[in-house]
Structures are given as C-alpha cells and as structure tokens.
Amino acid sequence: MPRLYGFDDASRRRLRDDEVGPLRQMVSRALQGQSNSDIATWANGEGYRGTLGGEWKDASVGRLFRNPSIAGLRYDDGELVDAGHPGAITPEEFTALAERETSRKMAHAAPAYDYLLADGACTCGKCGSALQGARTNAGTPGYRCRPKDKNGRGGCGEVRMDAELLENHVGEYVVAELLKPGIRDQILKAQEAVRAQAEELKATIASLEGRRSEAAALYGSRSISSDAFVGADREITANIKNARSRLRYAEQMANFALGDAEDLVRWWNTAPSAAKKALTRLFLEKVEVFPASARGIRTIEPGRVVLHWSKLSGRSDGSGGS
C-alpha cells in the first residue's frame, strides 16, 4: 500500500517535509474556492508529483482531501477522532474540506428526471418486462430492461434507449394524433370513461386493503401460518401497488385540460409533465422497444419502437407502429 502524500512512512508517524508545504498550499487553494482540477493543474505546473511519481488529477486531489489522516484524524463510527499521529493541516481545515466536498456533490448531483413512459407505459419488445428509468454511465436519463437479479426478478437486460430520443419520438406521434379532426371530442368522451374507471380502482384498493387486514387478523389469531400470511400479504401488497399506480394515471387522464392551444407542438413542449403523461396514456396502451441492431446506435431504427394505440386514436390496426 503506497504511503499517503505528506507523510514519510506508511504508518503516518512522521511528516515528509518536502510534501507538507505543497499539501498545505493545495488545501489553502481549495478553501479559497479553486476546483480540484485547477489545483491539480497548479501542482503539476509547480513540479509536484504524487507518492508514486504520477501527475495530480482531479480524482487524486479529491481522494487526498477526503482522507482525515492529513489532519491527524480518523473516523470512529462516523465521528472524527484523534488518530494519534501528526497532521499536515488542522482539524478545522479538514472539516472545511469535508463541507466543501458536500457542497460539490450537491452542485454536481443530477436533478431527478420525470420519465414520461414510466410505470409500465413502455415495455421490452424482447421479453415483455416493463422498462425502467435509469441514468447511463454518463449521467443522461434513459430507459432500460433490467436484467434478472439473484431472486429472479427482472427481464432480459438487452434493451436500452436514451430517454429524450424515445420520448421525443413518442411525443411527435401523440401530437400528430391531436391534430386529427374531432380528436378533442373523443378525448372528452374518453375522460368520462376514465373517471368511472378511477372510481372502480378506488373500490378495488379499498377491498384489497380490507383483505390485507383480514389476513393480519387471521394470522394474529393463529388461524393461518406465518408462511401463508406472508404469501398472502405479499400478493395483496403487490396488487394494491399496481392499482394505486393505475389510479394515479387514471386521475391524471380524467382531470387534465388540453385547452385551446393553437400551436399544439408548442403546447406539448411546455405542457406540465402530468398532462403529457395523461395524453400519452389516453392514446397509447403501451410502447414496445426492441434491441438496436448494434451497440452505440443513437437513432430509432425502423421497427425498433412499436406504438400500441388505444381505441381513442381511431386506428384500424391494433398494434400500430413506427
């Protein structure tokens, strides 16, 4: 294990004189607001090198700043305590570095992405599993078929697509449907049916919750075994979750108002997420996404995305496609 920068030995009992000064300057620059990348550039320009002779990088500067040993400290159950060896900087400076690191993480954290086709609205064309929202290694939002976990939950894991690419594609077709004559009247009629469906779902949820309470009472009176109760409770809970998800979208579909937007493209681009989700659910029963013909393809190839239209759209083909 290489020694820590600023120390003369792996046990960190002695400071290394020719590294203490540069380390303190690096910390001082950090606390003055310089980025780790800028600090690395400065250190390399001054001829300073890491303990293995390599140049400083953003990541290596960050690792050094996160190590409490540089201040003669260590973590004990999450608390900073005296490590019993000298430090190149003060404990107060290390605390300030830790606060800076927290601020950096918050500043670089990717904001939550509101997926248009979540909760079963799009599925894997290969295995039928619901695609889930998942960011790529680069941090961009996407949809993916998650591979099976150790408990057998999941799909084939072979379908991925950039969220913006898929959602823009679906949005173009939905807006095209909105441009059809008489579509607004059909939407109003569909919303009436959806309101009735929402009431049915509320009754279903109430019934399921009652069954769950009954199962708990039977288990409490030892009328059923623990295994029987756990199995029943798991199934009922899954059904309640599914019904609540359907109810949430039904209520969105029932309550949104398209208004009198003259420019439907502009309306779609600026509409609230809930309104776009509601329209998408009204028009489309589901969206199927198939694997690309090769890795790295960033376009929608013919037949890769299949749109299954609802009766509202008035399409003669039940599956639709794009």
Side-chain angles (χ1 to χ4, degrees), residues 93-252:
E93 286 174 322
F94 182 77
T95 299
L97 283 178
E99 293 174 352
R100 168 182 177 269
E101 180 68 14
T102 300
S103 298
R104 287 178 71 246
K105 287 182 178 179
M106 292 178 63
H108 289 85
Y113 185 81
D114 193 4
Y115 289 92
L116 176 68
L117 303 170
D119 296 326
C122 63
T123 61
C124 173
K126 186 168 183 178
C127 70
S129 297
L131 297 187
Q132 299 182 23
R135 289 186 178 270
T136 65
N137 293 334
T140 56
Y143 290 91
R144 66 174 295 198
C145 176
R146 292 189 181 277
K148 283 185 170 56
D149 59 21
K150 61 182 180 180
N151 297 316
R153 294 189 296 264
C156 64
E158 296 188 23
V159 169
R160 285 177 177 266
M161 183 172 282
D162 178 82
E164 184 177 8
L165 180 66
L166 177 59
E167 292 174 2
N168 286 345
H169 179 79
V170 172
E172 288 176 5
Y173 280 85
V174 170
V175 171
E177 291 297 313
L178 285 170
L179 292 171
K180 288 184 175 181
I183 196 66
R184 291 172 185 264
D185 291 338
Q186 293 184 53
I187 288 175
L188 293 176
K189 291 178 181 178
Q191 285 183 301
E192 288 298 321
V194 167
R195 290 189 183 98
Q197 183 186 47
E199 294 303 315
E200 292 176 1
L201 285 168
K202 289 177 183 178
T204 298
I205 292 170
S207 175
L208 288 169
E209 290 176 337
R211 285 173 53 194
R212 185 162 60 181
S213 298
E214 290 172 4
L218 288 172
Y219 175 64
S221 64
R222 299 185 179 181
S223 299
I224 59 174
S225 67
S226 173
D227 289 344
F229 169 69
V230 170
D233 185 71
R234 183 185 297 117
E235 180 180 354
I236 292 171
T237 299
N239 288 336
I240 289 175
K241 181 179 179 181
N242 177 264
R244 283 177 174 163
S245 176
R246 291 168 59 199
L247 174 62
R248 182 171 67 253
Y249 281 105
E251 289 176 334
Q252 288 178 352

